[in-house]
C-alpha cells in the first residue's frame, strides 16, 4: 500500500479514538434551526440591502475581477472600499485580501526577516501562529494576556540596528470572547520600541461607537490592524490597515497580494454597503448587548457561562466527547451551537462556543437557555 494511504488511515483512526474527528455537515440556512454557531454577529449575511448591492455590482462589473490587483484586478469598487476603510478606521492605507488567513500570512512573511523577533499571544489564531512559525524570524509566545510575561520577554530583546520586533495579539479572542489589554500593550510596545499588530477579526463591527473595533474602544492605534469581512461584515475577505510606506512595501513584496486574484468587484461593492450599515446602524450593537444580558439572566448560574462584553459566549466543558454529546442533544432540539475541541483550544478545555447575532430575539435566547439548562442538567 502506498505510504500516503497508510498514513492517512492511521491518522484518521487516531483522530476518531481521541474523540476529535471533525465532520463536515451541510448547513441549511433556510432550516428552522436556531443558529448560535455563526460569526455573523451583526446579522448582515442575510441583509437585503447588501444582497441587492452585490447583485447590482454583478450586473455592473461582472462576475470576477479577472486578475491579481497589480494586473487588472484592482478596480474602482476596490479603491472606494479601501478609502472608506481608511477614513473610518483612521489609517493612511488599507489593502484588501481574499481572507484573513492570507492577510495574516502576507503581513508576517513580508515584514519579518531572520534577525527579527516576533511575540505572539498563545491564543492567537492558527493563521498567525502558523505564519510566525514559518516566518524567518524568531518567535516567542507569551501566556494569554499576561503582560508581565510579555514584558519579561521584551526585556531580553537584543537591540541591534538590524533587529526589528513585533508584538501580535487579537483584539477579541475568538474562542474565549475576551479582550486583549490593548492600552497596556500599546504602552509596553512603545516603551520597548516594538510594533504592535492587532488582528481584530472579532472586534471590528462589534466594539467601538461606530463599530471601529477593539483598538478604538481602548483608545489606541495599532501599527498594523487586520480586519476580516467574514465575521461582522457578513461576507468574506480581509483588509490590512497601515501606513502609506508599509502598504507600498506590501504591494511590492507580499506574495499573497501580488500572486492572487483580487476579490470580485461586486463583492467590494457589497462590502462598502456592509461598512456603511456597520457605522450607521448602532442598534445592531445595542441589541447584542441586550441579548447578552438576557442570556446571562436566563441561563442557570451554576453552568459556568463565562461572561464577556462580546457576542462570543464560551462554556467550558473540558471533555471532548461530552462536549460533542451536549452539542448533539442541543441540535436534536433544533439549536446549533459551536462545539470546539483541541487542537483548536487547549487540551481538556473543549467547550460550547455560543455566539449571538443581532438577528436573534429574546425568545430565541429563552429557548437556548432553557435547552442548555435541561440538557446539561440531564447530562
Ligand atoms: C476568522 C479569523 C481569521 C481568518 O479570517 P478568514 O477571513 O476567515 O480567513 C483570522 N484571524 C482571526 C482572529 C479570526 O478569527
Amino acid at each position: 500500500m502506498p505510504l500516503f494511504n497508510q498514513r492517512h488511515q492511521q491518522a484518521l483512526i487516531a483522530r476518531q479514538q481521541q474523540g476529535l474527528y471533525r465532520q463536515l455537515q451541510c448547513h441549511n440556512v433556510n432550516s428552522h434551526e436556531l443558529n448560535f454557531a455563526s460569526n455573523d454577529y451583526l446579522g448582515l449575511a442575510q441583509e437585503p440591502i447588501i444582497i441587492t448591492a452585490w447583485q447590482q455590482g454583478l450586473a455592473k462589473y461582472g462576475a470576477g475581477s479577472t486578475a491579481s490587483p497589480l494586473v487588472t484586478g484592482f478596480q474602482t469598487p476596490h479603491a472606494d472600499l479601501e478609502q472608506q476603510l481608511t477614513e473610518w478606521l483612521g489609517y493612511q492605507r488599507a489593502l484588501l485580501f481574499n481572507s484573513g488567513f492570507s492577510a495574516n500570512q502576507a503581513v508576517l512573511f513580508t515584514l519579518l526577516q531572520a534577525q527579527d523577533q516576533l511575540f505572539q499571544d498563545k491564543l492567537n489564531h492558527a493563521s498567525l501562529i502558523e505564519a510566525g512559525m514559518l516566518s524567518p524570524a524568531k518567535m516567542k509566545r507569551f501566556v494569554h494576556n499576561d503582560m508581565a510575561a510579555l514584558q519579561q520577554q521584551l526585556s531580553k530583546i537584543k537591540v541591534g540596528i538590524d533587529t526589528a520586533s513585533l508584538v501580535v495579539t487579537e483584539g477579541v479572542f475568538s474562542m474565549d470572547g475576551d479582550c486583549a489589554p490593548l492600552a497596556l500593550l500599546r504602552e509596553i510596545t512603545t516603551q520597548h520600541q516594538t510594533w504592535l499588530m492587532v488582528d481584530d477579526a472579532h472586534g471590528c463591527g462589534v466594539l467601538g461607537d461606530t463599530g471601529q473595533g477593539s483598538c478604538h474602544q481602548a483608545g489606541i492605534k495599532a501599527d498594523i490592524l487586520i480586519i476580516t469581512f467574514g465575521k461582522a461584515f457578513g461576507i468574506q475577505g480581509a483588509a490590512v490597515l497601515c501606513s502609506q510606506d508599509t502598504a507600498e512595501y506590501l504591494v511590492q513584496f507580499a506574495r499573497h497580494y501580488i500572486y492572487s486574484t483580487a476579490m470580485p468587484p461586486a463583492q467590494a461593492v457589497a462590502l462598502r454597503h456592509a461598512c456603511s450599515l456597520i457605522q450607521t446602524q448602532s442598534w445592531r450593537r445595542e441589541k447584542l448587548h441586550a441579548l447578552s444580558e438576557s442570556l446571562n439572566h436566563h441561563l442557570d448560574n451554576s453552568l459556568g457561562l463565562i461572561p464577556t462584553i462580546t457576542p462570543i459566549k464560551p462554556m467550558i466543558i473540558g471533555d471532548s466527547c461530552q462536549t460533542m454529546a451536549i452539542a448533539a442533544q442541543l441540535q436534536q432540539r433544533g439549536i446549533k451551537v459551536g462545539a470546539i475541541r483541541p487542537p483548536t483550544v487547549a487540551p481538556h478545555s473543549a467547550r460550547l462556543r455560543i455566539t449571538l447575532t443581532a438577528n436573534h430575539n429574546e425568545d430565541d435566547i429563552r429557548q437556548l437557555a432553557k435547552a442548555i439548562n435541561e440538557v446539561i442538567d440531564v447530562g
Side-chain angles (χ1 to χ4, degrees), residues 5 312 317:
N5 288 340
I312 303 169
I317 306 295

Side-chain angles (χ1 to χ4, degrees), residues 62 264 359:
N359 280 350

Side-chain angles (χ1 to χ4, degrees), residues 28-305:
N28 173 10
V29 288
N30 296 317
S31 74
H32 292 293
E33 189 173 68
L34 269 178
N35 183 357
F36 286 99
S38 87
N39 296 320
D40 182 25
Y41 305 124
L42 298 180
L44 293 178
Q46 301 295 331
E47 168 55 49
I49 293 173
I50 295 174
I51 295 169
T52 305
W54 201 325
Q55 287 164 337
Q56 287 171 346
L58 286 169
K60 189 163 175 189
Y61 298 101
S65 73
T66 74
S68 59
L70 286 167
V71 183
T72 58
F74 185 74
Q75 301 172 23
T76 316
H78 301 87
D80 291 345
L81 173 60
E82 286 187 357
Q83 199 190 338
Q84 189 181 14
L85 293 172
T86 56
E87 284 168 13
W88 177 41
L89 300 169
Y91 283 83
Q92 288 176 339
R93 287 285 297 276
L95 280 189
L96 302 179
F97 285 82
N98 286 313
S99 74
F101 204 104
S102 70
N104 281 338
Q105 301 239 318
V107 171
L108 293 190
F109 288 164
T110 313
L111 235 55
L112 295 166
Q113 300 182 1
Q115 67 283 9
D116 294 342
Q117 300 184 66
L118 169 66
F119 302 88
Q120 294 213 52
D121 188 291
K122 279 199 170 162
L123 296 192
N124 276 356
H125 190 261
S127 58
L128 291 166
I129 299 292
E130 192 202 63
M133 286 191 312
L134 297 176
S135 86
K138 210 164 139 208
M139 178 169 79
K140 286 222 163 76
R141 304 202 295 166
F142 56 91
V143 176
H144 175 53
N145 278 351
D146 185 338
M147 294 300 100
L150 174 63
Q151 265 189 306
Q152 171 123 38
Q153 290 179 356
L154 288 174
S155 67
K156 294 186 196 137
I157 288 182
K158 287 187 211 68
V159 190
I161 44 169
D162 274 348
T163 304
S165 355
L166 176 69
V167 174
V168 184
T169 184
E170 291 187 25
V172 171
F173 286 85
S174 50
M175 296 301 142
D176 294 79
D178 59 340
C179 299
L182 287 173
L184 196 49
L185 262 168
R186 180 70 280 183
E187 212 176 286
I188 293 169
T189 47
T190 304
Q191 189 189 334
H192 289 274
Q193 296 180 14
T194 75
W195 265 17
L196 174 63
M197 167 169 159
V198 176
D199 175 347
D200 209 19
H202 298 273
C204 187
V206 170
L207 301 175
D209 51 357
T210 64
Q212 306 98 311
S214 310
C215 293
H216 186 269
Q217 171 140 317
I220 66 134
K221 184 173 174 186
D223 298 288
I224 296 181
L225 173 67
I226 308 290
I227 61 168
T228 69
F229 304 136
K231 276 109 192 188
F233 278 72
I235 305 180
Q236 157 96 57
V240 176
L241 283 295
C242 58
S243 70
Q244 172 71 14
D245 278 353
T246 302
E248 281 304 307
Y249 182 78
L250 290 171
V251 169
Q252 307 306 315
F253 300 111
R255 286 187 297 276
H256 293 73
Y257 189 77
I258 301 165
Y259 298 108
S260 190
T261 302
M263 70 171 64
Q267 183 181 336
V269 173
L271 285 166
R272 288 206 64 191
H273 283 77
C275 187
S276 299
L277 294 185
I278 287 174
Q279 292 176 63
T280 54
Q281 299 190 331
S282 45
W283 64 263
R284 293 179 189 270
R285 283 178 287 278
E286 286 153 19
K287 187 155 172 211
L288 281 174
H289 281 296
L291 294 173
S292 184
E293 287 191 0
S294 172
L295 181 64
N296 289 340
H297 176 73
H298 287 106
L299 212 55
D300 205 326
N301 278 337
S302 64
L303 296 179
L305 182 86

